[in-house]
Amino acid sequence: MSSIPAPARWSRAARRLLVVPLAMIVAASATGADAATAPASAPKAKAATPDRLRYDVSLRGDADGSHWTGRQSVSFRNASDQPLREVYVRLWGNGDDKCGTPDKPSPVKVSKVLGGTAGRLTVNCTALRITLPKPLARGERTAVSFDVSITVPRRNGRFGREGAFRFLGNALPVLAVHDAKGWHLDPYVSAGESFYTLASDFRVRIDHPSALKVPATGRTWTRRGKPGRTVTHSVAHRVRDFAWAAGPFRTAMETSPGGVRVKSYWAPNTPAAGVRLNRKDGVAAVDRFGREFGRYPYGEIDFVMTKEFGGGMEYPGLVILGTSEEGGAVVHEVAHQWWYGIVGNDEYGAPWLDESFAQYANARFYGWDTRTCWSDVDWPDEGTALTNSMAYWAKHPGEYHLVYTAGSCALASLERTIGADAMARLLKRYAHDHWYGVSTTADFKKAAQSVTDKDLAAFWKKHRIR
C-alpha cells in the first residue's frame, strides 16, 4: 500500500515522496462476530491448500466501465493430507460496503454456482462457502464456477472511481487459503491489506467499449470485438491476484534496459511532470530490484496514474498511483512486486513482511540517510510490536505508520549489523527460497541468522520483531 510519512530526520525530499492522505491510515473495519473462525470440520494439515489454481474469467463492461458481468471458473488441487470438503470464495470488493442496504447493495455478487453447493455469505459478505460434492483427496483436482457481477463503488480508492476512470483492485473473487491455522477468513481492513492468496494462473477476457483503455495484470493484447467494442486478453502466470482499470487514458509503452515492458496509463489532467517522474523512477526500480532480489518474472508491468488517487496500491504487474509534480509512491509499489507478489505472505497476519520490506527498498533506491531514523521510533507501549497483525493495527490506526517507518528502519539497522554484503546475499537468497511461495517472520529470522555469525537474538528483541 501507499507509503507513510517518514521520520523527521530523513531528508525533506524523502518525506515529500512518502506523504499520503489521512484517509489511507484511518481506522480499518472492525472484525465481525463470524469473521475469523474456521469451521469445526476443517481439516488440520500443514500444506497450504487449495493450490495450483487456474482462473478462467470472461467479463463484459458497460459504457463507462462502472459495471461488469460475466462468468468465472477456478480449478484447483488439494495439497493437504486431509480430504478437502469445501472451499471459500473471498469477495474482497464488498469490504467497505459489507452486506450493503436495499438502496445500496454490495458491489460484488456471485450466483449460479456449479461444482459445489453455495452457503450463505459470511464475514460481512466477503466470504462464500462452497461445499464440494464429495471430499477431494490429496493430489486430486476439481473446479467450481459462478456468474459474477461487479459494480464499481462511487469512491476514490483501490476499488473505486475518479472522474471517468475506474479502478478494479480486489474486485475479482479469489479462493481463500487453508493451512496449519485453518481457513483464513480474516475481515477486510481499509487501512492496510487483509489479503492472503497462493500463486495462481489467470486467463482473463475483458470485453469493453473501444473508447476505454483497460490496463490489467499479466501480458495483455487487444482484438476487435463487436462494433464499437474491443476485447482485451490477459494471461498471467504465478500471480496472487488480478486487477484492472478502465477509462479514457493516455498511454505510452517502453522497454526497460533490463527487458521489462512498461506500459503507462494516465488521466489527461494528471500533471505531466508527475507522469514523467513516475515513469522514470518506475522503470529504474523494476530493473534495480530485479538485480537485487531476482529478475522480474512477469515480463510486463503497468503504471496507472490519476491526479487524485490516494498514494498508491500494488497488484501483480499493475500499480495504481496518484501523482503530482513531485512524483508519487511508484518505487514503493514496484518493490511490492517482490515483497508480497513474488515472495508471498499473509498480509493480514504479518503486514510487516511486505510493507516494511517495500519501504526499505524504497529508502535504498532514493539513498535516504537512515543511520539515525531508529531514534525517532516511538513505541506506544510494550504490546506494540513490528510483527503485530492487522487485528492490532486496525484497533490502533494511529500507530500503523510504524510498519513503514520502524519497519524500514529495522531492516536498515539489520544491514548495518550484519554488513551490506551479507544483507544483499540475504535478500537475494531469501527471495529465491520463497519465490512464488509464502514466507513467515520465523522464515526471515532464520534466513538472516544463516548469513552471519552474530547472535541476532538481541537485535530481534530491540526492534520488536517477535
Side-chain angles (χ1 to χ4, degrees), residues 43-214:
K44 302 300 182 183
K46 293 183 179 181
T49 197
D51 74 344
R52 298 190 183 179
L53 300 104
R54 295 201 301 260
Y55 292 86
D56 287 278
V57 187
S58 181
L59 297 168
R60 178 182 173 86
D62 66 359
D64 66 355
S66 295
H67 186 62
W68 303 82
T69 56
R71 187 77 181 170
Q72 178 174 343
S73 68
V74 54
S75 67
F76 52 88
R77 183 189 73 158
N78 179 18
S80 168
D81 290 333
Q82 300 298 320
L84 189 64
R85 302 179 186 277
E86 71 274 320
V87 293
Y88 282 83
V89 179
R90 297 311 307 258
L91 289 73
W92 289 118
N94 291 339
D96 282 314
D97 298 288
K98 302 180 175 63
C99 296
T101 65
D103 295 333
K104 187 181 178 183
S106 300
V108 181
K109 297 180 180 179
V110 164
S111 61
K112 298 181 180 178
V113 174
L114 296 177
T117 302
R120 66 181 182 90
L121 286 167
T122 58
V123 198
N124 291 322
C125 291
T126 67
L128 176 68
R129 181 183 182 182
I130 299 178
T131 304
L132 301 179
K134 63 178 182 178
L136 191 69
R138 176 179 172 84
E140 290 185 344
R141 293 190 67 87
T142 191
V144 297
S145 63
F146 42 84
D147 284 355
V148 61
S149 171
I150 301 170
T151 301
V152 182
R154 294 184 178 276
R155 67 174 66 90
N156 194 341
R158 57 194 175 196
F159 180 32
R161 61 180 75 188
E162 179 184 328
F165 302 92
R166 309 291 179 256
F167 314 119
L168 291 109
N170 306 111
L172 197 68
V174 293
L175 292 195
V177 176
H178 182 281
D179 59 19
K181 296 181 180 179
W183 283 107
H184 285 258
L185 302 178
D186 299 306
Y188 175 87
V189 293
S190 56
E193 285 81 48
S194 302
F195 318 125
Y196 176 24
T197 54
L198 303 183
S200 309
D201 294 339
F202 287 81
R203 185 178 296 272
V204 182
R205 180 183 187 274
I206 305 174
D207 183 333
H208 56 90
S210 298
L212 304 180
K213 299 292 192 302
V214 179

Side-chain angles (χ1 to χ4, degrees), residues 245-292:
F249 292 103
R250 294 179 180 173
T251 64
M253 189 179 78
E254 58 197 297
T255 300
S256 76
V260 178
R261 182 165 63 171
V262 180
K263 292 184 177 180
S264 298
Y265 298 78
W266 67 93
N269 68 337
T270 303
V275 172
R276 288 194 297 270
L277 184 56
N278 275 344
R279 291 175 62 189
K280 177 179 71 71
D281 287 353
V283 167
V286 168
D287 281 355
R288 173 166 172 170
F289 296 153
R291 293 190 299 270
E292 293 183 351

